[in-house]
Amino acid sequence: MVSVIIPAYNAEPFLSSTLVSAQEQTYENIEIIVVDDGSTDSTADIAIAAAAVDKRIRFIRQKNSGVAAARNRAIAESQGDFIAPLDADDIWHRQNVALQVAALEAAGPETAVSYAWFVTIDERGRFRGVADRYKLCSRREVLARQIQGNFIGNASSSLLRRDAVLAVGGYDGSFRPRNAEGCEDQALYIALAERWNFTVVPEVLIAYRVHPNSMAQDGTRMARSYTLLLADLRRRRPDLPGYWFGRALAQHHLNPLTSALKHRKWRNVMEIVARAAQDGGWCLFDLLGRRLGPRIFNFSLKYSLSKLRPNSNSATPRATVDPFWPTENDN
C-alpha cells in the first residue's frame, strides 16, 4: 500500500484539484490522509466532503503545529509500505505513484527514495516552466548535492520507504520553533541519503504550484531555514568535507553580493564578503573564485544583448499547454 499524506493549511483554493490528482492515480492500492493543520477557511469542509464519497480518504484535524508536525501525524496514522507526500496545492500525473513504486521496487532495499521531475504552474494552474532535471542516485552524490540545495525541488516529487522514514525520525519539527520553516523536505532527504540510495523516474510527473501564499515564497524565512539546516548538519557530521558546506554557503551569499555590486552598494559588498570569510575559506574561495566571475559575465552578456535588441522587453504570451506531457507508459 501507498499512503498519500497531504498536510493542509488554508488550502481551500487548491485542495480539491490536489485530491482529484491523488484519487485518479492508476496505482489503486492507496490511502489518502489529509491533515488539516488548524485551517481557518473551508479546507476541512472540502476534505470531509471528499472523504464521504471516497473511502480511501481519511481526514484528521489538529491545532496549527506546522508542516513537519502535520506530515508526521499523517505518517503515524498511515498503514502503507510507502509514503507519498503531496502538498495541498500541487498536482500529480495520473501515473506518478505507479511509476515511482515500480522504480523503488526495482532498485531494491538499499534505496529508500524515488523522485521524478516537475514543472511549475501558477495559482490558476497555468504552465510556467520546467524545473532543472537531475539523475543523482548514489547516497554520496545525493548527500553532496542536497547540501548545496534541494535538487528534488519539493516534497510532492518523492516517494519514500516508510521504514526508512521512521528510522530517521520523520520530518524535523525543530524548524518551526526557530521561526525557520521551509527546509523540512531537504532535511529529510539529507537524513535518508546518509544511509540509503535514491532512484529517479526520468519523466515529468508533478506540477508544483507557485503562488504568493506558498511557504517557498518567503525568501527570508527560507534563507534562515537553510542556514540552520547547514549548521545543524555540520555539528552532527563534522566528518563531511568542508568544501561541501563552503559551496553551499557561497551560493547563499551569491545573490545578495551580485545585487550589491549591480547597485554599487560598496558597504554592502564588503559586509557580504566579510560574512563569507567568517563562513570559512572554502566559502570565500568558491564565492569569489568560482561563482562571481561567471555571474558577472552572464549579466554583462544579457545587458549587451538587450542593447542590441531594444524591443526584447515586449511581453511574451504565457504558455497555456497542459502541464504534463505523455509518459512512455501512457496509452
Side-chain angles (χ1 to χ4, degrees), residues 22-323:
Q23 292 172 278
E24 293 184 345
Q25 291 298 298
T26 59
Y27 191 90
E28 296 181 354
N29 191 15
I30 66 172
E31 61 175 354
I32 303 170
I33 303 173
V34 180
V35 176
D36 180 0
D37 192 41
S39 298
T40 58
D41 62 2
S42 299
T43 293
D45 296 334
I46 294 170
I48 291 171
V53 297
D54 189 338
K55 300 307 179 183
R56 298 175 300 172
I57 299 175
R58 282 191 283 153
F59 173 71
I60 299 170
R61 179 181 287 160
Q62 67 179 27
K63 68 177 183 179
N64 184 251
S65 303
V67 64
R71 288 184 184 143
N72 287 336
R73 175 72 182 278
I75 292 170
E77 299 283 346
S78 69
Q79 301 175 11
D81 303 294
F82 301 107
I83 302 296
L86 176 59
D87 284 345
D89 49 5
D90 295 339
I91 298 174
W92 279 342
H93 185 281
R94 59 192 297 269
Q95 289 193 349
N96 176 58
V97 171
L99 293 176
Q100 295 217 44
V101 168
L104 262 183
E105 290 182 334
E110 291 188 353
T111 301
V113 180
S114 172
Y115 67 97
W117 296 331
F118 68 97
V119 296
T120 56
I121 58 175
D122 66 11
E123 63 273 15
R124 295 174 61 183
R126 296 174 299 188
F127 174 80
R128 288 176 51 123
V130 180
D132 293 335
R133 304 179 180 190
Y134 297 91
K135 292 184 178 181
L136 305 176
C137 292
S138 74
R139 64 192 70 177
R140 181 174 175 82
E141 67 181 2
V142 169
L143 182 57
R145 186 58 184 81
Q146 277 292 338
I147 290 174
Q148 296 182 51
N150 183 8
F151 70 85
I152 294 176
N154 58 84
S156 303
S157 293
S158 60
L159 184 79
L160 318 169
R161 290 193 188 274
R162 174 191 175 87
D163 291 346
V165 173
L166 294 178
V168 299
Y171 289 90
D172 188 345
S174 71
F175 290 99
R176 179 181 174 88
R178 294 182 285 179
N179 192 29
E181 283 185 290
C183 286
E184 287 83 358
D185 308 330
Q186 188 178 359
L188 180 61
Y189 296 145
I190 286 174
L192 292 169
E194 292 181 79
R195 300 170 59 178
W196 289 277
N197 293 327
F198 286 36
T199 188
V200 60
V201 177
E203 299 188 39
V204 174
L205 299 175
I206 298 92
Y208 174 70
R209 195 183 303 271
V210 178
H211 58 92
N213 294 325
S214 63
M215 184 181 297
Q217 298 307 299
D218 188 340
T220 300
R221 184 169 60 178
M222 288 296 296
R224 183 165 55 248
S225 184
Y226 182 56
T227 300
L228 288 174
L229 170 79
L230 292 179
D232 291 346
L233 181 61
R234 202 165 194 175
R235 282 193 297 268
R236 182 166 57 83
R237 291 293 307 274
D239 59 301
L240 294 177
Y243 68 87
W244 287 7
F245 294 95
R247 289 177 178 176
L249 292 167
Q251 180 63 41
H252 179 65
H253 293 304
L254 181 60
N255 286 339
L257 179 59
T258 305
S259 178
L261 287 169
K262 177 182 177 181
H263 297 96
R264 300 182 180 181
K265 296 182 178 180
W266 308 119
R267 176 177 294 181
N268 289 356
V269 169
M270 297 305 297
E271 290 175 351
I272 294 167
V273 171
R275 287 198 296 270
Q278 291 176 355
D279 286 331
W282 281 115
C283 175
L284 187 63
F285 172 79
D286 198 72
L287 177 64
L288 300 182
R290 181 170 173 264
R291 297 182 185 272
L292 186 60
R295 175 65 68 88
I296 293 175
F297 174 79
N298 289 337
F299 174 79
S300 301
L301 182 61
K302 289 180 181 179
Y303 180 78
S304 299
L305 290 175
S306 69
K307 291 297 184 181
L308 294 174
R309 296 180 297 179
N311 296 324
S312 61
N313 291 328
S314 59
T316 302
R318 187 191 298 265
T320 57
V321 299
D322 187 324

